[in-house]
Amino acid sequence: EPEVTQTPSHQVTQMGQEVILRCVPISNHLYFYWYRQILGQKVEFLVSFYNNEISEKSEIFDDQFSVERPDGSNFTLKIRSTKLEDSAMYFCASTNDRVLDGYTFGSGTRLTVV
Amino acid sequence: ELKVEQNPLFLSMQEGKNYTIYCNYSTTSDRLYWYRQDPGKSLESLFVLLSNGAVKQEGRLMASLDTKARLSTLHITAAVHDLSATYFCAGEGGGATNKLIFGTGTLLAVQP
């Protein structure tokens, strides 16, 4: 079964450093998303991406965050200057047809900011 | 904006018992989703409920949707330990790409 792949699985970074989280969505999917989950809390929407541009972003997705689809397969989330409160699990998701397929989530990247 | 609430937040049940998790949402959502999450793991899709009155079953889990009441339920029949996990419901929050809005999750612990 096709998967959404995320790397790395765990990243530890110092406060103020830049991090890039990588995702390879399912190949024929067109809609891409980033979500985050702070430990023990619910999953929160960050940003959606379609047709090579951001479709929607949440209040969490401020100027420190950016997304890119640099080639036909990768989808990245960059945090320019990490803060302690950015520590969370970050999930990438993709879909082609929500009605039939729903959304497929990647295995996540656990980001720890120290 | 869509708000999604689940209850209970924590559910401890004995093997063999039945129980229901409730998911209420505040405004219209085209579809309602249920996901399972094991500790430290990703979100596994369980059900996609497409319309009013939809009922789906997979093994010991059955999900239903009542769009008029803005309520979805996840019913667990004869629970087994393997069902221990956190269960999330999510609605579609509208917008251009219909982001998912998740509930707070229900941590299910099935005791032998």
Side-chain angles (χ1 to χ4, degrees), chain B residues 49-95:
Chain B
L49 301 170
L50 302 178
S51 60
N52 188 41
V55 177
K56 289 194 174 179
Q57 181 158 8
E58 182 75 33
R60 300 174 189 275
L61 301 178
M62 183 174 71
S64 66
L65 178 62
D66 181 343
T67 56
K68 292 177 184 174
R70 294 180 187 156
L71 171 68
S72 180
T73 61
L74 181 67
H75 187 73
I76 303 144
T77 302
V80 292
H81 181 68
D82 285 352
L83 289 180
S84 297
T86 299
Y87 292 85
F88 290 96
C89 65
E92 288 187 332

Side-chain angles (χ1 to χ4, degrees), chain A residues 79-91:
Chain A
I79 309 174
R80 286 190 186 80
S81 178
T82 50
K83 304 188 280 284
L84 294 176
E85 53 265 38
D86 293 328
S87 295
M89 184 77 103
Y90 288 81
F91 293 107

Side-chain angles (χ1 to χ4, degrees), chain A residues 50-93:
Chain A
Y50 171 71
N51 203 24
N52 286 319
E53 61 183 19
I54 290 175
S55 295
E56 191 173 358
K57 55 186 179 180
S58 71
E59 291 178 353
I60 303 167
F61 194 90
D62 61 22
D63 291 344
Q64 292 301 311
F65 290 87
S66 63
V67 289
E68 264 194 334
R69 191 159 159 80
D71 52 42
S73 58
N74 291 285
F75 179 49
T76 62
L77 174 69
K78 183 194 290 186
I79 309 174
R80 286 190 186 80
S81 178
T82 50
K83 304 188 280 284
L84 294 176
E85 53 265 38
D86 293 328
S87 295
M89 184 77 103
Y90 288 81
F91 293 107
C92 173

